[in-house]
Amino acid sequence: MQTTLHGASVTLRPATAADIPALTAIRSTPEVYARWRGDLDGMAASIAEDFAERDTEHFVIEYEGRVAGAIQWSAEEEPDYRHANIDIYLDPAWHGRGLGTDAVRTLAGHLITGHGHHRLVIDPAADNAAAIRCYTKAGFRPVGVMRDYERGPDGSWHDGLMMDLLARDLPTGSPTGGGKQQGRSDPGPVVRPPA
């Protein structure tokens, strides 16, 4: 049974079939669709299929009692490589208000303190400056550029940025974890894709 998580501003609760219409509307916005893609005509079915994945936990991001987006995680359980990964999308109406950072930080704290993960990863498109800023504010650091990582809607390949967060770097004051921040206090070097 998934837990409901409370951030500074957002609530992350287990996603249900009742959330599919709201999430379909968000995933169909041009800003979210450009990054998450999918079949616009079959978006609801695609989201339902995502919810059925047994190895991924899906949360709805709620803000002021409304569905503002979704965040999900899965884990690599091989003991020598154990870590978790996070993916998120947020209604463009709520962009720029810190809700994405709050959601990522809240889930990160839960994965570290509640599931014992020592390392988390997230992999935005290298040209997605807003997402990279969001994840950096949540404590993630750039690791490196993954060249030609993802195929775009036009069929061409685009770079991705691998970012990670170590348990010891979870920012102080994170809703479900953190504590005294260890290691460097700066977010680390910014890794830019090759020109």
Side-chain angles (χ1 to χ4, degrees), residues 53-110:
E53 294 174 355
R54 295 180 189 266
D55 62 346
T56 303
E57 290 195 40
H58 301 268
F59 291 89
V60 164
I61 302 167
E62 283 189 344
Y63 178 67
E64 296 182 345
R66 291 181 280 179
V67 174
I71 190 166
Q72 64 191 41
W73 74 276
S74 61
E76 167 59 62
E77 294 295 352
E78 168 64 36
D80 292 340
Y81 298 94
R82 188 171 188 270
H83 69 277
N85 62 68
I86 298 174
D87 285 306
I88 180 174
Y89 58 90
L90 194 66
D91 188 329
W94 300 113
H95 286 184
R97 299 180 188 210
L99 302 183
T101 299
D102 187 26
V104 170
R105 188 179 290 144
T106 300
L107 183 55
H110 173 69

Side-chain angles (χ1 to χ4, degrees), residues 98-171:
L99 302 183
T101 299
D102 187 26
V104 170
R105 188 179 290 144
T106 300
L107 183 55
H110 173 69
L111 294 174
I112 290 168
T113 62
H115 290 269
H117 286 284
H118 78 287
R119 180 173 178 264
L120 309 176
V121 299
I122 200 161
D123 58 353
D127 67 350
N128 192 344
I132 293 166
R133 265 193 315 276
C134 167
Y135 307 149
T136 300
K137 288 178 188 175
F140 283 79
R141 297 181 182 176
V143 174
V145 173
M146 299 176 290
R147 299 180 306 147
D148 289 350
Y149 178 65
E150 178 179 45
R151 190 186 309 270
D154 64 356
S156 65
W157 290 96
H158 303 275
D159 294 345
L161 178 65
M162 176 59 71
M163 302 180 76
D164 71 7
L165 171 70
L166 301 181
R168 66 176 175 262
D169 296 328
L170 187 65

